[in-house]
Amino acid sequence: MNEGGRTPALRGKDLLELESLEPGEIQLILETARPMLSVFSRPVKKYPTLRGRIMVNLFYEPSTRTRTSFELAAKSLSADVVNIATTTSSVTKGESLADTARTLEALGADWIVLRHSASGTPAFLARQVRAGVINAGDGSHEHPTQGLLDLFTILRRKGRIAGLRVGLVGDILHSRVARSDLWGLTKMGAEVVLIGPPTLIPVEVENLVQTGSPAATAASPVPPSATGSAWPSPPLAPAPPPASASASMSAAAAAAGVSLPHPPVTVSYDLESVLPTLDVVQVLRLQLERQKRGLFPSAQEYSELYRLDSERLQRWGAKPDLLVMHPGPANLGLEISEELANSPRSAIREQVQNGVAVRMAVLYLLAGGRPAQDTETQTG
Amino acid sequence: MARSIQAKQSPPSDRSAQKWLLRGGHVIDPANGRDAVLDILLADGVVAAVGEDVTRDGGPVQVLDLDGLLVLPGLVDMHVHLREPGQERKETIATGARAALAGGFTSLACMPNTEPALDDATGIRYVREQAARAGAARVYPIGAISKGRRGEELAAIGEMVAAGAVAVSDDGSPVQDSALMRHALEYCRRWDIPVIEHAEDAQLAVGGVMNEGLVSTRLGLRGIPVEGEVSQVFRDCLLAQLTRGRLHIAHVSAAGSVAVLRWARQQGIRVTAEVTPHHLLLTEVEVSRSRYDANTKVNPPLRSEADRQEVWRALHEGIIDCIASDHAPHMAEEKNVEFDLAPFGVVGLETTLGLVATHLVGPSLGAGERAGAQRLGAGVEPRQMGVESEALGTAQLPSFTWAQVVERLAVQPARILRLPGGAGTLSAGAAADVIVVDPRAEWTVKPEEFYSRGKNTPFAGWPLRGRVEYAWVGGELRFARERGGFLES
Ligand SMILES: [Zn+2]
Ligand SMILES: [Zn+2]
């Protein structure tokens, strides 16, 4: 099949972060994920694509939701899944991570899905093993499949990503979700507003996209995806060049076909004032132990300043079609009210389902699969 | 070039009694204003004569023709972690002293953060005895400031000085209690030894693993703000002013610290300072570029390009007095782990001279050097130097002459520590601690070939130019590359 100029495959064996992905690669994953969603409606919820392949969930932090999502994704593609949590592995006996990974590889693991509390551990692991490493969340660095499923969710709800203004609310400093969302959204042409108390905003974060990463500066514009798809093609913004804020704005805006009134990433400490300008808001989970480090006075005060509920959306003048998201698990009543989380404008449940589809797409593409349309002819 | 060792007679059995005539090398001895092709005679363990056409004064003499090579006073590294006692798997006094000599350091001062800490005379004596047995570089122990390095009560400083300690430091555990620091500076006035401070506000640094800034934000790593160093440098300078004690700031990494030091010098405060090769040549970007390689994890952390340039300029200007390696060996198993879990520190004894020769020494090799000498470091692509090419900026940074390098790698550290025997100089009568450097020898950093047990370096694979060929300690030739390295006595 003609690739139509698309990025035909992922470049690496691993998925470590969104920062170093090209916009075309993100686009490819999102397009591949779309048909994967049918797994939820098919009577037989399996594709045979990865039969005989082994994916290991290596989780050094508990996360039932992410681990289950990866497990469902792998099983839907007929891969075998092994789950290792810290309490049941030799990790507790002091076996080093590198050694553990090499053992898993020797036992035939094709992919190691790693969740770890230390930033950079997936990159470290990827250097040590030939198996593919998929980052399922590392410290405060990235959670790339979460970032991808957030993009996918926005795309399905809004029909586009470019030109949208997306607010991320909460503990940006420690949030791997925020960093993956930030890279994914800006690469796809959205604006990002980071909202939270000043103590939970990392230094210079508004300069991340302007200064760019080697990958971002190397990214080239990708032509629109193959025609004939009913799927709305999101206009792709090339990652901004590092030259200057204004230059990057105009480049992103030109590629997105819209005029952006703001730099790609801005920071606000005041949720009320920026809420009316947002098209999407992603509320982040507040880790209550941050309070003990003196980063905010109390959960009560945090909630007064940064909680979202329907009454506030009304009173503060949110757009009627504001899309509300949360990567979960939510502290209901603290950062988001239960009724808002369950309201029609909330995409929280879809985020969960979309997560499985996106992770299927990632596994499929890392296995060297062709784009999604081919999948269906192979398996349908 | 001829480098033959011609024994005029069979060598005498007592090797330290041998005489050496080093002929035709380029002698660089800034303490005596020498920078010319000269002969030098080593006899009875001391520098007997330096000059044009030094004649043998009878008796057996080994003659070495050193055409095209540099003859320098043995270098002095005033900041080394030897790990013994207690952590011999990382390094021993013997392996560290050999690594030092192979790197051109005939003297080193070792930090007291061993297990147990060097906080009494017994520990100091132990280090000196082990070093004497090793028979490589001279080792001068630094005692702890506080008992057990706990930052609470003064250690037995007088007893340690009597046993041979040349300074005190709680390096690795910055002194948080300002009253303790004040008392240490005051108490040490009795011997006028320096109090060496690892300047860092522990509360601001807590949990941090790299410099705080854009790169730490991008990588999601906990940052160590530069202000934690600068504020502590300022506090310590004020306490040195209050007490009129002698303060030495270890491993300056921040532009702000340089500003404070400049101010302190203007005030007449008795403060000296050192900088490491990694803070001169690398920045925080290295953490990102290496994808969280723990060999870029050091304390203080690699800072911004602006900081790097400022400490470089301060070293040139003399606001920072000297270069010290902060040689901090760790086992591969300790470093090859998650970035957050790895210990801080890199080795430096065997790379410092090569890095300095390659990257700090400028086109001018010194007044006496023959015309047509190749520029050191020429031909090294900026990208190989490990910093952002556009940010590398060594072109706009001042370069150093060999005399300035020797000043900062030998004369100054020996002066700060008041080392005996004319260390850092080739003065007549000084102990014959001499090295011969081939400034054009090209080599590549290969950690597996280090004499040190620590292989943890961020400079692996770097092409360098400039290498030690021979090293004498007390007139005894202990290291000769052409003879395969160390000579057994
Ligand atoms: Zn230190
Ligand atoms: Zn140190």
Side-chain angles (χ1 to χ4, degrees):
Chain A
M1 167 178 185
N2 180 13
E3 303 299 343
R6 252 177 326 197
T7 304
L10 299 181
R11 285 172 300 159
K13 71 179 173 73
D14 313 301
L15 178 67
L16 304 178
E17 57 185 23
L18 295 192
E19 179 188 345
S20 55
L21 286 192
E22 291 180 12
E25 292 178 293
I26 294 175
Q27 165 109 356
L28 175 67
I29 295 169
L30 299 181
E31 287 180 1
T32 307
R34 182 174 50 92
M36 298 292 186
L37 267 182
S38 66
V39 76
F40 291 105
S41 50
R42 284 156 53 108
V44 180
K45 299 188 190 306
K46 276 204 177 190
Y47 299 98
T49 320
L50 301 184
R51 184 165 292 145
R53 313 291 288 269
I54 299 174
M55 185 194 82
V56 178
N57 274 322
L58 180 58
F59 274 51
Y60 284 70
E61 276 185 342
S63 169
T64 309
R65 128 180 347 229
T66 302
R67 183 186 55 71
T68 307
S69 182
F70 269 106
E71 184 166 357
L72 281 175
K75 286 183 168 166
S76 300
L77 294 171
S78 303
D80 294 319
V81 178
V82 178
N83 288 309
I84 301 176
T86 47
T87 47
T88 57
S89 79
S90 54
V91 169
T92 46
K93 294 176 219 145
E95 187 175 351
S96 82
L97 172 64
D99 204 30
T100 303
R102 281 189 291 267
T103 304
L104 294 174
E105 187 170 51
L107 293 174
D110 295 288
W111 297 282
I112 298 170
V113 178
L114 179 67
R115 161 68 63 97
H116 201 289
S117 59
S119 300
T121 304
F124 165 79
L125 192 65
R127 284 201 301 274
Q128 314 270 338
V129 297
R130 284 187 307 281
V133 175
I134 300 171
N135 181 3
D138 63 327
S140 306
H141 176 226
E142 283 216 38
H143 191 351
T145 56
Q146 178 72 45
L148 289 166
L149 78 87
D150 291 336
L151 290 175
F152 189 70
T153 303
I154 293 169
L155 198 51
R156 283 181 57 78
R157 276 290 191 110
K158 294 285 192 183
R160 68 186 173 117
I161 296 171
L164 294 178
R165 202 163 140 83
V166 181
L168 307 177
V169 182
D171 181 359
I172 311 297
L173 178 61
H174 299 95
S175 177
R176 49 195 172 216
V177 175
R179 282 173 182 72
S180 285
D181 282 349
L182 185 153
W183 288 114
L185 287 163
T186 54
K187 281 171 192 280
M188 303 307 280
E191 284 174 41
V192 173
V193 189
L194 303 171
I195 304 152
T199 45
L200 294 178
I201 304 286
V203 295
E204 294 195 53
V205 69
E206 62 273 34
N207 296 326
L208 265 185
V209 174
Q210 275 88 349
T211 50
S213 62
T217 53
S220 54
V222 176
S225 63
T227 51
S229 165
W231 186 251
S233 309
L236 288 168
S244 71
S246 58
S248 66
M249 269 173 57
S250 55
V258 292
S259 72
L260 296 177
H262 302 289
V265 179
T266 51
V267 169
S268 171
Y269 309 133
D270 181 358
L271 178 58
E272 181 177 353
S273 70
V274 294
L275 190 70
T277 69
L278 301 178
D279 301 298
V280 179
V281 63
Q282 163 108 311
V283 181
L284 300 171
R285 176 180 172 83
L286 184 71
Q287 304 286 342
L288 290 169
E289 59 267 26
R290 308 295 179 209
Q291 188 265 330
K292 294 195 188 69
R293 277 187 54 215
L295 292 170
F296 56 93
S298 67
Q300 172 63 29
E301 180 161 320
Y302 178 89
S303 189
E304 284 306 312
L305 290 168
Y306 297 104
R307 182 187 70 251
L308 276 188
D309 58 39
S310 296
E311 185 270 328
R312 282 185 163 183
L313 296 193
Q314 180 79 27
R315 182 154 48 87
W316 289 351
K319 289 183 181 174
D321 60 348
L322 173 69
L323 179 64
V324 176
M325 298 168 52
H326 192 300
N331 294 303
L332 294 176
L334 173 59
E335 66 240 3
I336 188 169
S337 70
E338 183 166 9
E339 58 76 17
L340 179 59
N342 293 324
S343 74
R345 61 161 106 217
S346 161
I348 295 175
R349 287 228 184 95
E350 292 148 58
Q351 282 174 282
V352 175
Q353 287 205 338
N354 292 344
V356 176
V358 160
R359 288 169 179 124
M360 287 173 72
V362 166
L363 283 169
Y364 176 74
L365 291 168
L366 287 177
R370 312 306 297 168
Q373 287 79 358
D374 291 354
T375 317
E376 295 194 310
T377 48
Q378 282 167 10
T379 61
Chain B
M1 60 197 71
R3 262 183 248 158
S4 55
I5 294 180
Q6 307 151 12
K8 294 297 168 188
Q9 297 178 11
S10 57
S13 55
D14 181 3
R15 300 196 320 148
S16 63
Q18 284 179 22
K19 293 181 182 176
W20 288 90
L21 179 59
L22 314 183
R23 251 186 349 204
H26 183 150
V27 174
I28 298 173
D29 176 22
N32 293 294
R34 294 191 184 108
D35 193 340
V37 174
L38 295 168
D39 297 342
I40 176 166
L41 181 69
L42 313 179
D44 302 323
V46 300
V47 176
V50 183
E52 292 175 18
D53 297 321
V54 170
T55 51
R56 296 167 225 160
D57 58 349
V61 175
Q62 304 211 34
V63 179
L64 212 46
D65 284 314
L66 300 175
D67 179 42
L69 303 183
L70 305 179
V71 180
L72 314 178
L75 308 181
V76 178
D77 191 343
M78 68 175 293
H79 191 148
V80 174
H81 296 272
L82 289 182
R83 306 303 188 199
E84 184 182 351
Q87 296 180 306
E88 288 84 354
R89 286 186 301 163
K90 294 174 192 265
E91 190 82 288
T92 66
I93 291 167
T95 57
R98 285 164 80 90
L101 200 57
F105 295 100
T106 54
S107 296
L108 67 86
C110 62
M111 285 295 176
N113 62 333
T114 50
E115 293 173 2
L118 306 180
D119 64 356
D120 63 16
T122 312
I124 300 295
R125 273 196 294 269
Y126 173 79
V127 170
R128 296 189 62 196
E129 284 159 15
Q130 290 292 85
R133 211 162 302 161
R138 299 177 195 270
V139 174
Y140 295 95
I142 297 168
I145 292 173
S146 64
K147 288 195 179 79
R149 299 173 59 257
R150 283 187 295 273
E152 292 162 2
E153 302 166 54
L154 286 181
I157 293 173
E159 175 184 310
M160 290 192 290
V161 172
V166 292
V168 291
S169 179
D170 274 0
D171 182 46
S173 302
V175 178
Q176 298 304 296
D177 181 336
S178 300
L180 176 70
M181 189 63 185
R182 174 204 174 141
H183 295 141
L185 284 160
E186 277 174 341
Y187 193 70
C188 287
R189 289 189 61 197
R190 165 67 180 74
W191 302 272
D192 210 29
I193 56 168
V195 177
I196 302 175
E197 169 78 319
H198 173 134
E200 182 175 63
D201 180 318
Q203 291 302 312
L204 277 176
V206 71
V209 294
M210 72 170 295
N211 187 45
E212 179 170 309
L214 186 60
V215 182
S216 68
T217 289
R218 174 193 289 163
L219 296 179
L221 291 172
R222 181 87 72 89
I224 299 174
V226 86
E227 287 74 10
E229 174 179 314
V230 180
S231 62
Q232 194 90 343
V233 171
F234 188 41
R235 181 204 72 170
D236 291 336
C237 286
L238 290 174
L239 292 174
Q241 187 173 39
L242 172 70
T243 60
R244 284 170 288 147
R246 282 185 65 202
L247 172 67
H248 178 82
I249 303 295
H251 42 53
V252 172
S253 71
S257 302
V258 171
V260 172
L261 288 168
R262 189 172 280 122
W263 166 84
R265 289 284 175 86
Q266 285 161 1
Q267 302 300 305
I269 295 169
R270 302 170 75 205
V271 57
T272 53
E274 74 195 26
V275 62
T276 70
H278 45 275
H279 290 110
L280 288 169
L281 294 171
L282 302 175
T283 69
E284 59 192 343
V285 170
E286 208 59 28
V287 183
S288 166
R289 186 198 303 278
S290 72
R291 307 303 301 155
Y292 302 89
D293 182 347
N295 285 325
T296 62
K297 182 175 174 182
V298 289
N299 191 10
L302 301 175
R303 302 288 193 184
S304 70
E305 176 61 13
D307 289 308
R308 183 185 80 88
Q309 295 200 11
E310 189 60 15
V311 295
W312 178 304
R313 285 192 205 94
L315 179 69
H316 194 265
E317 200 184 326
I319 295 295
I320 292 174
D321 302 81
C322 65
I323 299 168
S325 72
D326 196 4
H327 177 82
H330 294 290
M331 289 186 288
E333 293 84 349
E334 296 172 298
K335 274 292 200 180
N336 193 26
V337 298
E338 299 89 321
F339 198 85
D340 279 348
L341 304 182
F344 291 97
V346 296
V347 292
L349 284 170
E350 291 167 84
T351 49
T352 294
L353 177 61
L355 289 165
V356 169
T358 307
H359 296 294
L360 269 66
V361 175
S364 165
L365 284 170
E369 190 62 31
R370 288 187 309 278
Q374 262 188 301
R375 181 194 164 170
L376 298 187
V380 176
E381 291 298 316
R383 124 190 94 69
Q384 293 174 284
M385 295 181 54
V387 278
E388 296 279 23
S389 54
E390 75 272 16
L392 180 65
T394 36
Q396 73 223 35
L397 290 171
S399 58
F400 294 74
T401 64
W402 269 103
Q404 289 172 322
V405 162
V406 172
E407 183 82 28
R408 286 153 182 79
L409 277 171
V411 181
Q412 294 295 353
R415 185 183 61 86
I416 292 165
L417 297 175
R418 303 220 171 113
L419 297 188
T425 77
L426 297 174
S427 304
D433 295 359
V434 181
I435 62 170
V436 170
V437 171
D438 181 347
R440 290 175 202 80
E442 298 190 353
W443 58 291
T444 301
V445 178
K446 292 178 184 153
E448 65 275 15
E449 294 177 359
F450 286 167
Y451 288 97
S452 170
R453 287 194 177 167
K455 314 299 179 192
N456 46 310
T457 174
F459 299 110
W462 278 41
L464 297 182
R465 191 177 302 183
R467 197 172 59 181
V468 175
E469 299 297 331
Y470 304 97
W472 289 261
V473 177
E476 179 179 308
L477 180 64
R478 292 186 176 176
F479 179 84
R481 189 171 302 281
E482 61 165 9
R483 296 192 192 172
F486 282 90
L487 309 178
E488 301 308 327
S489 35

